[in-house]
């Protein structure tokens, strides 16, 4: 979360707004069904503990496949919405 911003600020983010689209996520506001927390301090500590090689290996072996899968799912939903169904 940006400094000093509450959970409702997150509701303005496009990816979170997509969560409320019928057929994509749960009905209602994201912050009402999911606990919104500021992960920046924990991530900042983690980033200082890993080196560039370890980060690249993690991204290629762990994060990239999951990100590709998520992107493909987003594209399928977008295609279905564009077709009107």
């Amino acid at each position: 979360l940006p400094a000093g911003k509450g959970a409702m600020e997150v509701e303005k983010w496009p990816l979170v707004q997509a969560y409320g689209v019928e057929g994509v996520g749960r009905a209602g506001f994201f912050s009402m069904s999911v606990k919104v927390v500021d992960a920046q301090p924990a991530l900042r500590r983690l980033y200082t503990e890993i080196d560039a090689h370890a980060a690249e290996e993690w991204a290629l072996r762990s994060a990239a496949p999951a990100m590709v899968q998520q992107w493909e799912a987003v594209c399928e939903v977008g295609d279905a919405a564009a077709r009107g169904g």
Side-chain angles (χ1 to χ4, degrees):
L1 293 172
K5 302 294 183 179
M8 290 308 292
E9 180 69 22
V10 173
E11 297 292 343
K12 297 177 183 177
W13 298 354
L15 187 58
V16 173
Q17 289 177 345
Y19 181 87
V21 174
E22 186 175 336
V24 176
R26 299 179 193 163
F29 291 101
F30 179 82
S31 59
M32 291 179 69
S33 59
V34 176
K35 182 179 179 184
V36 177
V37 297
D38 183 1
Q40 183 179 6
L43 290 172
R44 189 175 303 268
R45 283 191 303 274
L46 175 66
Y47 294 154
T48 62
E49 293 176 12
I50 59 175
D51 61 21
H53 177 73
E56 183 177 343
E57 285 296 312
W58 172 81
L60 291 174
R61 300 195 190 287
S62 300
M67 290 169 65
V68 167
Q69 181 180 4
Q70 290 291 20
W71 179 252
E72 289 172 349
V74 166
C75 290
E76 288 176 19
V77 169
D79 289 346
R83 288 190 302 270

